[in-house]
Structure formats: C-alpha cells, structure tokens
Amino acid sequence: MDEVNITSAQWIADPISGQTQAAIRATIAGVQWDVPISEGNRHYAEIMRQVQAGTLTIADAE
Amino acid sequence: MALSTIQNNSLADTAVHGYRNLVINGAMVISERYGTAVQSPAPSGYGIDRWATYKSGSGTFSIQQSTDGPSGFSNSALITVTSNSTPSGGDYYIYSHKIEGYNTAQLDWGTSDAKDVTLSFWVKSSVTGTFSGSLRPSPTGYTYVFEYTVSSANTWEYKSINISGATVGTWNSTNGSGVNILFSLGQGTTYATSTVGSWVSGNFHGSTTETDLIATSSATWQVTGVQLEVGSEATPFEHRPFGDELQRCHRYYFKHKADEGNDPILGTASNWSTTGVYSYFQFPVQMRTAPSGSYSAASDFIYYIAGATKTPSSIGLSARVTNYAAEWDISSSGLTAGQAGWMRAANGNAYIEYDAEL
C-alpha cells in the first residue's frame, strides 16, 4: 500500500567528519528529500527496502 | 458533589473526559502542505495533516481540504473522482490515517486484555450504498473490516462503529505505526474480504460488497469528525484547540514557510569556512523520529552576514538532524570563517519542510 516511487538516491557526505555516507538525497514521489540515516524514518526505511530488493541503487556522494 | 453522582451522562463533558480521541486532526482543520488548494491527482502520500491517500489502478481522484462540514465542523476532506474506473484484481483507492504506537499502547491489542474501541465520523457522498473500511496494524497481519451505509446522497450522515479489541496480531507500542484506519474508496478482489465485523488474518482494505466510489464519474466523498476512542460508546467529537491540534501535527510534519510576513528568519548561522555555513533550527515540538527535509531553491534564501548579504549556492540538511533539531549545510563564497549571521527567506517561495510521518 505504501510503496513509494523513488527515482534517484545519492549519499550525502559530511564535510566536518569526512564521512562519505552521512545521509541520503533522494527524489521521492517527485520531491527531493534529504533523508537521515534513521531506522524510524519512513523514507530511509523505504530506500533501504528498495535497495535490498535490488530495485534502487544509492550513488556515491559527490 | 459526591463522586458517585458522576455518571455516563457526563461523557460529553470534555473537561472531565478530554484526550479521548486517538486520531490527530480528525476534523481536518490542519492542512500545512497545500491549504485548501485542490490536489489533482491526489498525492501518493500525505495531504491534509496526518491523512494520506494511496491508490493502485487506472482511476484517479483529487483531494482537498474543504470548508464544507456538518454542524459544528468547519472543514472536511473532499475526494472527487476525476477519472472513473471499475477496480479489479489488486486495485485499491484509500484514505488513511496512522496512529503512533505510543498512543495506542493503552489498547493492549495483541493480548487477552485487548480493549474495545469505537470509531465515529461524519460522511457525505454523492453515491449512496454500503461503503467499507478497516483497522489493522502496520504493515499487515490482521484486519478488522467495517461497513457503513450512506443513505442519502450529498447529505452529512453520522456513523459509529464498535470494534472489538484485537487479541491477535503484533501491534507497535512505541514510535512506529500502531493502528491504521483505512477508508476504502474502491478495490479489486485482492484486498477485499467477506469477513466483516471481526478480526481476520490477512491484509484487507474493505469488504467484498462495498460500493466502489472510484467507479462513478465525478463522484464525491467527504469525511470529517473522525474519532477513535476506547470503549463501546461513541461520545461527541473531541474538539481540541487549534493550537493544540497543530502542535500534535508538528510531531509528524512541519513546514517553515515565507508566507506570513516579509523576510521571515529561518535560523541563525555561522561560517565554518570561507565557503561553508551551518545553520541550526529547533523544531516547535519533538518530532516522532529524525525527519527528512525538503526545501525550495537555494536562491529563495538569503544569508545576512557582517553587514552584507549572500545568496547561497546550495543548501541541504546535514547529517546531524535529530528528532528535536536540524542542522543545515549551506554553501556560499567569499566568507570569513568564524563570523555569524542569520538566514532569511529571500522571497515568498521559500520554504523548508520536515517529514517524520508514519
């Protein structure tokens, strides 16, 4: 029921810590969202579900 | 007055029996995302605060916060079929509300102590007949399908449905999705069951005999005053103060926008480097979880720093967002590290929104 159309996803780097996979920038149902790495966040959960299903790939950070 | 004189006829007194309604924004008064603008087609997700539309199938419908309501209500959710279709197979069209587990833990569902609840609402439809909906946990497991009858077209009617407590299933009792309420607007066979009025194993939206609103061209369906409460008696709708309801909605969604005055301040900021700025914004209430962030173009914002202004070249939510505050990562140029300033909206298009919906 809640499956969401995610057309792109890219890791966001953190310039302070140097972490290259600090958050995810994704286009979800046509809207760009910056998504934190948080298990309780519905966008993050759906991105990870689609990644595990092999239907979505998260691109490296710029 | 002796305590023994407080009887059930005092149930209408919300001063005694407040906080009964487990539904947030059941009167559809809060609409931060779109106001009263028609959303056509309806988004696949949230529109009026805490309420979402979902569909699968070739039919389409719009959603709007309407200013029409029964006596005592100033708003309702208005759904209009914009392209009719007879649903089949796995098609579905629904209007839904998810209640956080913390707020439904008191129901003891999934145990032998499960409490009965009552769902009540006002409905108005251009199509008459038997409609249906359901309650269930998220994602799936068990479903309770209910039916209600719309007797007169285009007339507000009050409905109440007693629902036995679920002694089965696994129900979230923390900050996940506890109980989902679904109003079915049409469905194929996949999500329909003939078991109505009791809990049944499976993932269903409504009954096999329901009227499919989506099958009728230009059909309308409205709902407001949705209340889910413990017990077997429907009490009058709990009208909470607007500010109270807005704060409850902010736990799940918050839109910081520039339409309430000139140059609203969006947050203080300081220069991390000659090109990098970080801005801090504290949410009005603690959100359900660390939210996602979305925003208008970087050129919609302006950075006031050391007697000058800068237009950001980019903005984005940093990795340090929690359920109580967000940090924004802003890029610009020609800055002096260590200076501090503040971010404003540069025009009326500016907005930042935070989503921690279920």
Side-chain angles (χ1 to χ4, degrees), chain B residues 81-340:
Chain B
V81 175
T82 51
S83 179
N84 62 305
S85 172
T86 299
S88 62
D91 291 353
Y92 59 80
Y93 304 84
I94 57 176
Y95 190 52
S96 86
H97 179 84
K98 296 179 179 177
I99 305 174
E100 186 175 346
Y102 279 129
N103 296 333
T104 55
Q106 61 170 309
L107 301 179
D108 285 331
W109 283 12
T111 78
S112 58
D113 294 327
K115 296 180 177 67
D116 296 346
V117 295
T118 298
L119 177 70
S120 56
F121 55 92
W122 287 89
V123 64
K124 178 179 174 180
S125 172
S126 65
V127 177
T128 59
T130 300
F131 289 75
S132 71
S134 61
L135 267 67
R136 61 185 206 180
S138 182
T140 56
Y142 287 84
T143 308
Y144 185 104
V145 169
F146 61 84
E147 289 185 332
Y148 61 96
T149 301
V150 173
S151 304
S152 303
N154 301 314
T155 304
W156 282 108
E157 298 179 17
Y158 179 73
K159 310 296 175 187
S160 68
I161 295 146
N162 298 324
I163 297 166
S164 57
T167 56
V168 293
T170 301
W171 301 80
N172 186 288
S173 59
T174 60
N175 70 335
S177 184
V179 176
N180 296 354
I181 302 172
L182 277 68
F183 290 100
S184 176
L185 308 172
Q187 62 186 345
T189 55
T190 303
Y191 298 106
T193 177
S194 59
T195 303
V196 176
S198 62
W199 291 96
V200 59
S201 178
N203 173 23
F204 302 109
H205 297 171
S207 71
T208 53
T209 55
E210 74 165 19
T211 299
D212 294 321
L213 187 89
I214 195 72
T216 300
S217 176
S218 302
T220 59
W221 180 88
Q222 290 172 255
V223 70
T224 192
V226 183
Q227 180 157 288
L228 184 72
E229 61 193 306
V230 176
S232 55
E233 182 176 351
T235 65
F237 182 79
E238 181 181 61
H239 287 282
R240 293 186 284 250
F242 184 88
D244 184 343
E245 206 71 27
L246 183 61
Q247 278 204 320
R248 290 168 188 251
C249 291
H250 282 168
R251 179 168 170 80
Y252 307 91
Y253 177 84
F254 172 65
K255 191 167 189 175
H256 198 174
K257 54 187 184 296
D259 61 357
E260 295 175 349
N262 294 325
D263 294 346
I265 296 172
L266 297 176
T268 56
S270 57
N271 300 345
W272 164 258
S273 66
T274 57
T275 58
V277 181
Y278 285 91
S279 179
Y280 170 86
F281 181 77
Q282 185 161 344
F283 305 140
V285 300
Q286 188 172 100
M287 301 191 78
R288 183 188 64 84
T289 188
S292 304
S294 187
Y295 38 89
S296 59
S299 58
D300 291 335
F301 301 91
I302 191 164
Y303 180 39
Y304 285 74
I305 180 75
T309 61
K310 295 280 186 181
T311 298
S313 56
S314 70
I315 66 171
L317 198 61
S318 87
R320 290 168 189 78
V321 56
T322 68
N323 59 349
Y324 57 86
E327 180 187 75
W328 288 89
D329 182 355
I330 301 155
S331 295
S332 189
S333 60
L335 303 173
T336 300
Q339 290 183 334

